[in-house]
């Protein structure tokens, strides 16, 4: 827990080498000074989520020195925070800290997922995010809104090729990267005729 710091005589520094040669021509008192050491260790969680490295300073040395540690996410992941034991100690990245004692840090990463939005046909209307983000951590909820252009109506949502809802708004739990399509139908005379037949017991959208 200690490391040699320097030799002193009457408060004056003689050498910071642990081996000292002196010529003794009179009585003298030499002082070997030692200092408390502090080390820093780190790992990533999960291991496939990214890596961490000390970018400024050394892993071991005198307590009180400053070091900088940097986390680098792997593809498809984002850095979340630094953990020590069960406690989140920082969300900074890179993080510069002063080592007053031994530290054992965990760089925590989370999987990311992206939503790809499109309107079909593009002239039929727009689809947009009203709550949440297109890019972010997997598991988040995103709320979408479809707005039809003049002469069109919104006919439903398709997620990764599968119909999921027909309302203008939809909330999606983004567990993976997904493609979301807002479908629109042109309001043509033929469509109006189909709508009239639907009111008489036919099907509006399946014809």
């Amino acid at each position: 827990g200690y490391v040699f710091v320097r030799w002193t005589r009457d408060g004056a520094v003689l050498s910071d080498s642990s081996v000292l040669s002196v010529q003794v021509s009179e009585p003298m008192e030499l002082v070997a000074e030692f200092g408390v050491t502090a080390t820093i260790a780190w790992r990533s969680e999960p291991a496939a989520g990214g890596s961490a490295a000390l970018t400024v300073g050394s892993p071991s040395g005198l307590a009180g020195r400053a070091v900088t540690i940097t986390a680098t996410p792997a593809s498809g992941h984002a850095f979340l925070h630094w953990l020590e034991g069960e406690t989140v100690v920082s969300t900074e990245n890179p993080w510069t800290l002063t080592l007053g004692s031994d530290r054992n840090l965990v760089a925590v990463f989370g999987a990311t997922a992206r939503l790809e939005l499109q309107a079909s046909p593009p002239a039929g209307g727009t689809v947009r995010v009203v709550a949440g983000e297109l890019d972010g951590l997997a598991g988040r909820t995103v709320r979408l809104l479809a707005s039809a252009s003049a002469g069109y109506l919104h006919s439903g949502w398709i997620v990764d090729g599968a119909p999921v809802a027909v309302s203008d708004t939809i909330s999606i739990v983004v567990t993976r990267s997904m493609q979301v399509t807002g479908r629109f139908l042109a309001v043509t005379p033929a469509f109006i005729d189909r709508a009239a037949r639907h009111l008489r017991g036919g099907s509006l959208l399946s014809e």
Side-chain angles (χ1 to χ4, degrees):
Y2 289 85
V3 64
F4 173 78
V5 178
R6 57 182 172 256
W7 291 100
T8 64
R9 178 187 178 189
D10 298 331
V13 176
L14 296 180
S15 174
D16 57 7
S17 171
S18 60
V19 178
L20 176 67
S21 296
V22 294
Q23 185 175 4
V24 181
S25 58
E26 59 183 356
M28 65 176 65
E29 182 179 275
L30 301 177
V31 177
E33 295 186 5
F34 297 86
V36 176
T37 60
T39 62
I40 181 171
W42 60 89
R43 62 182 176 87
S44 298
E45 186 178 296
S51 61
L54 207 61
T55 49
V56 176
S58 59
S60 60
L62 283 173
R65 73 190 186 282
V67 298
T68 299
I69 192 168
T70 302
T72 304
S75 177
H77 292 78
F79 170 75
L80 300 181
H81 50 248
W82 298 102
L83 198 67
E84 189 163 28
E86 300 298 323
T87 303
V88 175
V89 290
S90 180
T91 57
E92 295 181 25
N93 186 39
W95 181 30
T96 298
L97 63 157
T98 300
L99 296 179
S101 59
D102 292 344
R103 307 293 298 267
N104 195 343
L105 303 177
V106 179
V108 181
F109 299 91
T112 59
R114 174 174 174 77
L115 280 185
E116 297 283 352
L117 300 184
Q118 66 178 16
S120 178
T126 60
V127 291
R128 64 185 179 91
V129 175
V130 293
E133 301 289 340
L134 290 178
D135 289 290
L137 290 174
R140 72 191 186 282
T141 298
V142 178
R143 189 166 180 80
L144 306 175
L145 171 66
S147 301
S149 301
Y152 289 83
L153 61 80
H154 177 239
S155 63
W157 297 96
I158 296 177
V159 176
D160 290 339
V164 294
V166 295
S167 60
D168 288 345
T169 59
I170 184 174
S171 293
I172 297 177
V173 179
V174 187
T175 58
R176 64 187 189 281
S177 292
M178 302 173 175
Q179 184 174 71
V180 181
T181 303
R183 293 185 62 191
F184 298 90
L185 287 176
V187 182
T188 62
F191 178 86
I192 295 173
D193 180 65
R194 287 162 54 196
R197 285 187 284 116
H198 169 70
L199 293 176
R200 296 193 299 269
S203 174
L204 175 62
L205 300 180
S206 63
E207 297 181 23

